[in-house]
Amino acid sequence: MTRIPKPRLRQLRIVSIAAAGLLTASLLVAPPSSAQVVPAAQAAPAAATNTIPGVDEIVSSPNLRLLTNLPKVAPLDGTNSDLAFQGKYAFAGNYNGFVTYDISRPSSPRVVSRVLCPGSQNDISVYGDLLFLSTDSSRSDDSCNSAAQGADVKSSWEGIKIFDIKNKANPRYIKSVETACGSHTHTLVPGKDKKSVYLYVSSYSPRATFPDCQPPHDSISIIKVPVKKPTQAAVVATPNLFPDGGFEGSETGSATTGCHDITAYPSRDLAAGACMGDGILMDIRDREAPRVINRVRDTTNFAFWHSATFNNSGTKVVFTDELGGGGAATCNEEVGPNRGADAIFDITGRGDHRKMNFRSYFKIPRVNADTENCVAHNGSLIPVPGKDIMVQAWYQGGISVWDFTNSAQPKEIAFWERGPISNEEMIGGGSWSAYYYNGHIYSNDLFKGFDVLKLSDWRTWPAELVRYKELNVQSQPSYLGGW
């Protein structure tokens, strides 16, 4: 789903919640009293069906259930977006800012602070005491009090905002960095010296009338952030990833005019870019000079290369196709199983000779209503050693847990979804991001708010032993890093 010189940073508005008692009953849905462990014989999802649940009706396989939901609250009542995690905290992006949750008790999450700072999408990541937000909507300036302003105005601003989150109840806005064409998403890549962290900024759709977003735009922006001196953050490189201009586009597929999202696997010096009309594999040993070593296209079924996920061994990559831009009904019989889906690629070869080889598609097997936006979206691996299992958001298609250990025959093993928001008209909603973190699945629903779910399945029990100190899903960790 998707523009500003830099005046002084203005005061941002923060609403801090000091205690759980300030959460009223209207904000918290009580969870069931205890988790249910489902034996293997019962842990199968429903088969493909044409039965569509009623408005707001919840349906699921027996091994995945909702523990609690926290609805959106003004002023953070815009569209919810991505999630990041650190210790006992979850950080949830929203087009109007971000929310910090204390998830030390996952069944009873508590709001610690709400930061009002409009600027879609507010894609989010965290690193130590720093939090980063992407702004990909043209603003009058770089403050948290800015107004929408056309990208055709030279003074308009878009880019990255940096916050100090040492005090989780009182985040401080400390720095902004403007980037060409804004920042639709960004990917955090730790520097090898641990003294700096890099942000790979993805943006796209240049126009001749946009002074700060001129075509061609075949590059990403790389921001270097000195960890101890974050106010010195600056763009240090703008590598051209598509010297030939990338995919020229077709009736069904987007032309490449930048990247939508990049997933890095820092411990393996790899990154995968989902770049509108192209999927790319990159060597990132030199953090400031990533190199494209392989590129793939799908001119038959893919409309918009949206995001990527590696398996733990770095021998596979899953790309998602955001057919319809996240606002269309594509989980139906008319669209079929191969469009608006995931595409699984095996990575073969070594070094610069590595190649991505297509193996299969995966799409949820349930039919959705024509009033439900549904398409493949953000997900993460569930850390089961020796297996390739991930949880994934499908907007109003809900949340799916699926196994791609056999990359030619992926299969769903759990699902959870709400029925349509409306039977009469298309109202955008559903899970934007669904991620597994330290024993639970957390989902940021565009419309309904913050959901916490519990997966109880023998096939994923080993994941319960994995604990991460920090998780930015697009900066992919190894399972071994979490033991």
Side-chain angles (χ1 to χ4, degrees):
M1 287 190 171
T2 110
R3 284 191 185 292
I4 309 185
K6 301 178 189 172
R8 64 186 182 279
L9 302 180
R10 299 178 185 172
Q11 183 179 6
L12 68 161
R13 294 166 56 190
I14 300 174
V15 183
S16 297
I17 309 298
L22 293 180
L23 280 177
T24 65
S26 65
L27 299 184
L28 186 62
V29 178
S33 59
S34 61
Q36 176 188 6
V37 176
V38 181
Q42 301 176 29
T49 176
N50 290 328
T51 302
I52 298 172
V55 172
D56 286 341
E57 178 186 357
I58 291 177
V59 295
S60 71
S61 55
N63 52 350
L64 184 59
R65 66 185 182 88
L66 180 70
L67 295 183
T68 194
N69 165 264
L70 271 65
K72 296 186 296 185
V73 175
L76 276 295
D77 52 359
T79 299
N80 278 339
S81 57
D82 213 1
L83 295 167
F85 304 89
Q86 184 182 88
K88 66 177 184 177
Y89 299 101
F91 303 87
N94 178 281
Y95 276 40
N96 286 342
F98 67 92
V99 183
T100 304
Y101 296 99
D102 182 331
I103 55 172
S104 53
R105 294 181 60 201
S107 61
S108 301
R110 179 176 63 88
V111 176
V112 177
S113 60
R114 295 187 179 97
V115 175
L116 178 63
C117 195
S120 67
Q121 302 181 128
N122 278 333
D123 190 52
I124 193 167
S125 65
V126 293
Y127 187 84
D129 291 336
L130 301 176
L131 180 148
F132 306 96
L133 282 183
S134 283
T135 300
D136 192 36
S137 58
S138 188
R139 311 296 298 181
S140 56
D141 56 54
D142 62 353
S143 75
C144 284
N145 298 315
S146 66
Q149 180 170 285
D152 55 348
V153 179
K154 176 60 179 174
S155 63
S156 294
W157 184 91
E158 298 175 86
I160 291 287
K161 294 169 182 168
I162 305 175
F163 293 79
D164 183 320
I165 56 168
K166 187 173 184 178
N167 182 347
K168 303 296 187 293
N170 189 32
R172 294 186 302 113
Y173 182 13
I174 60 172
K175 175 68 175 179
S176 72
V177 181
E178 188 171 17
T179 55
C181 298
S183 175
H184 193 72
T185 63
H186 69 269
T187 302
L188 190 150
V189 185
K192 292 193 173 186
D193 61 3
K194 301 187 184 301
K195 295 180 180 180
S196 299
V197 63
Y198 293 91
L199 304 180
Y200 288 6
V201 176
S202 296
S203 56
Y204 56 93
S205 294
R207 293 186 187 179
T209 56
F210 295 169
D212 299 320
C213 186
Q214 290 285 297
H217 180 65
D218 300 319
S219 61
I220 60 172
S221 296
I222 299 179
I223 297 174
K224 183 177 183 179
V225 184
V227 174
K228 293 186 177 180
K229 297 181 179 181
T231 56
Q232 296 181 6
V235 174
V236 294
T238 55
N240 186 347
L241 302 181
F242 302 98
D244 66 351
F247 183 53
E248 66 277 7
S250 66
E251 290 185 5
T252 57
S254 299
T256 298
T257 60
C259 288
H260 178 275
D261 207 348
I262 293 170
T263 292
Y265 201 159
S267 66
R268 294 183 178 271
D269 290 329
L270 276 178
C275 302
M276 305 180 71
D278 291 279
I280 59 175
L281 187 66
M282 291 184 284
D283 181 314
I284 60 169
R285 281 177 292 181
D286 184 339
R287 300 294 197 243
E288 296 184 18
R291 295 185 302 109
V292 176
I293 57 177
N294 189 228
R295 180 167 64 178
V296 290
R297 292 174 181 166
D298 182 342
T299 57
T300 301
N301 289 310
F302 259 45
F304 189 92
W305 295 69
H306 177 274
S307 53
T309 303
F310 289 102
N311 69 337
N312 188 53
S313 62
T315 59
K316 301 172 188 174
V317 62
V318 175
F319 285 103
T320 65
D321 172 25
E322 195 183 41
L323 174 68
T330 71
C331 297
N332 52 35
E333 293 177 340
E334 179 183 358
V335 173
N338 296 336
R339 301 179 63 221
D342 298 314
I344 307 161
F345 292 79
D346 286 349
I347 300 174
T348 59
R350 293 185 176 185
D352 287 355
H353 299 290
R354 283 172 286 193
K355 295 185 181 300
M356 297 179 288
N357 303 285
F358 173 76
R359 296 304 305 277
S360 65
Y361 296 109
F362 171 79
K363 192 172 183 180
I364 56 172
R366 288 164 301 287
V367 173
N368 274 215
D370 290 337
T371 59
E372 292 181 282
N373 57 311
C374 174
V375 75
H377 215 241
N378 293 354
S380 74
L381 292 183
I382 296 179
V384 181
K387 297 288 186 180
D388 299 326
I389 300 174
M390 70 179 291
V391 58
Q392 187 174 4
W394 290 79
Y395 289 114
Q396 286 191 70
I399 296 168
S400 175
V401 179
W402 59 288
D403 185 327
F404 63 103
T405 306
N406 182 341
S407 53
Q409 295 184 318
K411 58 184 179 181
E412 185 177 74
I413 63 174
F415 79 94
W416 180 92
E417 70 169 299
R418 294 183 173 95
I421 297 170
S422 169
N423 282 329
E424 307 300 324
E425 60 179 329
M426 171 69 75
I427 298 177
S431 180
W432 176 293
S433 298
Y435 299 147
Y436 184 96
Y437 178 70
N438 294 353
H440 290 80
I441 291 171
Y442 298 88
S443 168
N444 217 15
D445 187 292
L446 284 74
F447 191 83
K448 297 291 186 179
F450 185 68
D451 291 319
V452 184
L453 299 96
K454 183 64 179 178
L455 176 66
S456 302
D457 190 290
W458 64 275
R459 290 163 289 195
T460 61
W461 284 346
E464 297 281 346
L465 301 176
V466 179
R467 289 292 182 269
Y468 294 115
K469 294 180 180 179
E470 191 170 274
L471 180 64
N472 300 288
V473 169
Q474 288 74 36
S475 181
Q476 200 165 311
S478 167
Y479 297 169
L480 296 178
W483 288 103

